[in-house]
Amino acid sequence: MSGTLYIVSTPIGNLEDITLRALRILKEADLIAAEDTRHSRGLLAHYDIHTPLTSYHAFNERGKCKSLLDKVADGANVALVTDAGTPAIADPGFFIVREAALLGIKTEIIPGVSALTFAAAATGLPVDKFAFYAFPPVKSGRRGKFFEALAQEDKTVFFYESPFRVTGALEYLLEYCSGERQIAIVREATKLHEEILRGTVNELLTVARQRGSWKGEFVIGVAPAGYVPGNSNMEEEES
């Protein structure tokens, strides 16, 4: 009898943001496949969980996928976790879930916190519909096309960004979206130095340039063109 592949959401910062179900699955699993075993050991130690760990990350997922699914097919219960948040959301997970589905292997999703859903709730931007663009490319040509496509969306767009490229991302938004586009920056969600900045591209670019450097993990939200906070007509449409 085959086992189950569990896709387990873990905290993005505050270790209390984990479900009772997730803790039970991590304790009962035969093996935990972790994006970074060193990072995951901290979470497991906090909750006195001693399940064996193996690595599963972006650089070995295709090679490791078969061996993990073979274990599940042989009856083992395997839990997949990433460094933070929900696997497959701009993290390893999609490939093994797809392969499991093709093989008819049972997969259960253990939902929980995600930096994306945190930002959607926290930024105050319209989210009756929204798009997620993951991380912008690093190379300038592809990066420009990324922000050009983002600017043409008729809905709020969220994307992740490295602290080293946040100011640069705002400069691209200035170029492609205009300085009056409403945006929000979520930094270090659920952590000690959590910060949510809201304003126009011009306003937050000024803040970014004054700071000079950033630290932490970031989600940036960009409102659709024409959105103005407090515009009663648009708010009626959202409701």
Side-chain angles (χ1 to χ4, degrees):
M1 184 176 179
S2 65
T4 301
L5 172 66
Y6 294 97
I7 307 300
V8 183
S9 301
T10 55
I12 60 176
N14 191 318
L15 293 182
E16 294 181 359
D17 293 335
I18 190 167
T19 67
L20 295 175
R21 184 181 175 202
L23 291 174
R24 178 178 61 81
I25 294 300
L26 293 176
K27 289 178 181 178
E28 295 178 356
D30 298 297
L31 181 67
I32 297 172
E35 184 177 10
D36 185 333
T37 55
R38 296 167 299 178
H39 181 89
S40 294
R41 281 193 184 98
L43 173 67
L44 299 181
H46 183 81
Y47 287 104
D48 195 28
I49 297 172
H50 304 283
T51 306
L53 283 168
T54 188
S55 66
Y56 182 85
H57 48 71
F59 301 104
N60 75 355
E61 63 177 331
R62 291 180 181 269
K64 200 71 175 284
C65 177
K66 183 179 185 305
S67 65
L68 291 175
L69 292 182
D70 283 347
K71 292 180 187 299
V72 178
D74 288 340
N77 293 318
V78 175
L80 175 69
V81 299
T82 53
D83 289 349
T86 302
I89 308 299
D91 269 326
F94 157 75
F95 184 74
I96 195 169
V97 171
R98 186 190 70 182
E99 294 302 300
L102 291 173
L103 294 171
I105 290 175
K106 182 181 179 182
T107 302
E108 287 191 19
I109 308 301
I110 314 302
V113 68
S114 164
L116 172 61
T117 53
F118 181 102
T123 57
L125 299 176
V127 289
D128 62 316
K129 56 180 180 178
F130 63 87
F132 176 53
Y133 273 35
F135 283 93
V138 176
K139 293 185 178 179
S140 59
R142 293 175 59 203
R143 194 168 172 84
K145 291 179 180 178
F146 174 97
F147 285 100
E148 182 179 15
L150 181 156
Q152 295 172 5
E153 286 279 6
D154 64 350
K155 60 184 76 71
T156 296
V157 177
F158 294 97
F159 65 93
Y160 296 161
E161 188 55 290
S162 158
F164 306 108
R165 291 189 285 272
V166 168
T167 301
L170 298 182
E171 290 169 345
Y172 271 93
L173 290 175
L174 178 63
E175 178 180 353
Y176 288 99
C177 294
S178 90
E180 297 309 309
R181 184 75 72 94
Q182 291 289 324
I183 64 171
I185 297 173
V186 177
R187 186 178 75 87
E188 293 289 83
T190 80
K191 299 177 183 176
L192 179 63
H193 300 293
E194 176 182 300
E195 183 176 31
I196 301 170
L197 302 173
R198 305 178 182 89
T200 65
V201 171
N202 279 331
E203 290 168 343
L204 297 194
L205 182 55
T206 297
V207 172
R209 287 171 172 167
Q210 289 173 344
R211 291 195 180 188
S213 63
W214 297 84
K215 293 182 180 179
E217 297 181 349
F218 290 79
V219 185
I220 298 176
V222 183
Y227 172 73
V228 178
N231 183 317
S232 59
N233 290 331
M234 295 193 76
E235 288 174 356
E236 287 173 4
E237 292 176 5
E238 295 303 322
S239 63

